[in-house]
Amino acid sequence: MAPTILVVGATGNTGRSVVETLSKFLNGSDNTTLPDHQVVALTRSLNNPVAQHLATLPGVQVLEHNWVDITADWLRGHQVVRAFIASPVQPSQFAEESAFHLAALRAGVQYVVRISTTAPNVRPDFPAFYPRQHWALEVMLGSPEFAGLQWTSLQPNVFTNFYLATSVEWIKQVRKTGKQDTPLRLMASKDAPVGVIHPDDVGEFAAKLLVQRDTAAHNKAKYVLNGPEDVTGEQIVRMVEQYIGAQVENVVYKDVTMVDGMAAAAEAAGQSKSIILSIKHGPVAAWEGKCTAATTSKEVLELAPPTRTVAGAFKALLEDEA
């Protein structure tokens, strides 16, 4: 088996773009950095349409395997030398992702790129549970005990597909019924500019890191990623109005009621409702104006600057829903 770049979460929000970008680079004529390397993309189901698409790409092997069961022996057996991981946001995230990094350390994996979360939130005293987990993972990876594993943590702002999801669904309903039966609910505040980022831009940057000749230059780095432009809630409303051809009658800004449904589902599954409800604190930094495009790390702009705009993402999401 050839030396392998492992992609955990290959069919997820950012993973698909990572795999596509790696495949293009590794099989390109200008690949002098990692010749003879391949990509192993993990999926929970080979029947997943995204997994089936990835399996058609040159130099990509798609495997059906639960990433939480990865061991040092598994990594050695697949000759994994570099890896990408985007672990799901759930209360068990620290336990599961830390086990992966420990396995990578013991297997002699050279370099890992991981997905973190909104930079101002990654601290030990943040009210929502998941940024604390990312903080703990970054502290663990930065400890002397993990000196043998090079790593980079990406701290992307909120993703455009998440930020625009309620708007897209609302437009669909208005087009279907011809009526504005419910308010337009936005996670965004009315006035705060936010540099929301497309997940494909994050994936492309992660892939560029994974193929660097000198990964030591990015070891222990925490890079902030935003989109190329800021957008306010009021600007999103204007975009919605263009799509429906009418003025929006009722807007609810700073809406996080979607978390209530997540919490109810967690409680029904025997999990902590209050832990999930803490997610409602996640957007506060954006509402306070701390997540503008200007906060993007210079290394991101130098290596793979984000290019996808909010308007372009809006159009693509509506076309996908058509």
Side-chain angles (χ1 to χ4, degrees):
M1 180 177 287
T4 295
I5 301 177
L6 174 67
V7 178
V8 175
T11 60
N13 194 44
T14 54
R16 174 187 54 76
S17 177
V18 175
V19 176
E20 291 174 341
T21 306
L22 287 174
S23 174
K24 185 180 299 184
F25 174 83
L26 293 177
N27 294 278
S29 59
D30 57 346
N31 175 18
T32 60
T33 307
L34 300 174
D36 303 320
H37 283 59
Q38 69 165 356
V39 178
V40 167
L42 291 194
T43 181
R44 286 179 293 181
S45 173
L46 293 174
N47 295 323
N48 183 308
V50 177
Q52 292 176 344
H53 157 66
L54 296 178
T56 67
L57 301 179
V60 175
Q61 179 184 10
V62 180
L63 295 181
E64 189 174 274
H65 188 80
N66 190 341
W67 74 273
V68 300
D69 295 327
I70 288 175
T71 63
D73 286 342
W74 189 95
L75 292 168
R76 291 190 200 98
H78 289 83
Q79 297 188 35
V80 175
V81 294
R82 300 183 180 190
F84 168 85
I85 180 168
S87 58
V89 176
Q90 54 191 16
S92 60
Q93 183 177 17
F94 177 82
E96 293 170 347
E97 188 179 334
S98 64
F100 172 83
H101 294 303
L102 181 58
L105 175 69
R106 291 177 172 173
V109 174
Q110 300 165 6
Y111 180 52
V112 174
V113 176
R114 66 176 300 273
I115 297 294
S116 181
T117 191
T118 310
N121 296 353
V122 184
R123 61 179 202 259
D125 63 339
F126 195 77
F129 78 91
Y130 64 94
R132 297 197 303 270
Q133 294 188 133
H134 285 296
W135 171 84
L137 285 161
E138 291 173 356
V139 170
M140 181 194 77
L141 288 168
S143 68
E145 291 81 359
F146 274 81
L149 176 65
Q150 294 185 5
W151 59 278
T152 302
S153 196
L154 307 187
Q155 298 177 333
N157 201 347
V158 63
F159 294 112
T160 50
N161 48 333
F162 295 160
Y163 214 59
L164 301 176
T166 55
S167 299
V168 170
E169 185 62 29
W170 192 84
I171 290 171
K172 286 169 54 182
Q173 290 300 315
V174 171
R175 286 176 169 177
K176 181 179 180 179
T177 66
K179 299 178 182 179
Q180 298 186 30
D181 295 323
T182 60
L184 171 61
R185 296 182 176 275
L186 301 179
M187 184 192 306
S189 71
K190 182 178 181 179
D191 300 319
V194 180
V196 293
I197 187 165
H198 197 288
D200 286 356
D201 282 332
V202 177
E204 288 175 6
F205 178 69
K208 291 291 182 66
L209 288 174
L210 286 165
V211 300
Q212 291 298 295
R213 186 182 304 276
D214 180 21
T215 58
H218 303 283
N219 186 29
K220 299 183 180 180
K222 303 169 190 176
Y223 293 142
V224 178
L225 294 95
N226 300 285
E229 62 184 5
D230 291 322
V231 67
T232 66
E234 190 169 28
Q235 288 172 325
I236 293 174
V237 173
R238 300 288 88 80
M239 293 182 196
V240 170
E241 290 176 341
Q242 291 177 2
Y243 279 105
I244 66 171
Q247 184 174 355
V248 176
E249 298 169 359
N250 190 3
V251 183
V252 177
Y253 293 104
K254 298 184 179 181
D255 181 71
V256 289
T257 54
M258 77 290 291
V259 179
D260 295 330
M262 298 165 58
E267 186 176 36
Q271 300 173 355
S272 171
K273 179 180 179 180
S274 60
I275 290 293
I276 302 302
L277 285 174
S278 72
I279 294 174
K280 290 187 175 184
H281 295 280
V284 173
W287 299 340
E288 293 174 343
K290 297 178 181 178
C291 302
T292 64
T295 62
T296 299
S297 296
K298 64 179 180 61
E299 292 83 356
V300 176
L301 300 177
E302 292 168 354
L303 192 59
T307 59
R308 294 167 175 85
T309 64
V310 175
F314 224 138
K315 180 180 179 182
L317 287 167
L318 283 166
E319 288 176 349
D320 288 344
E321 296 289 346

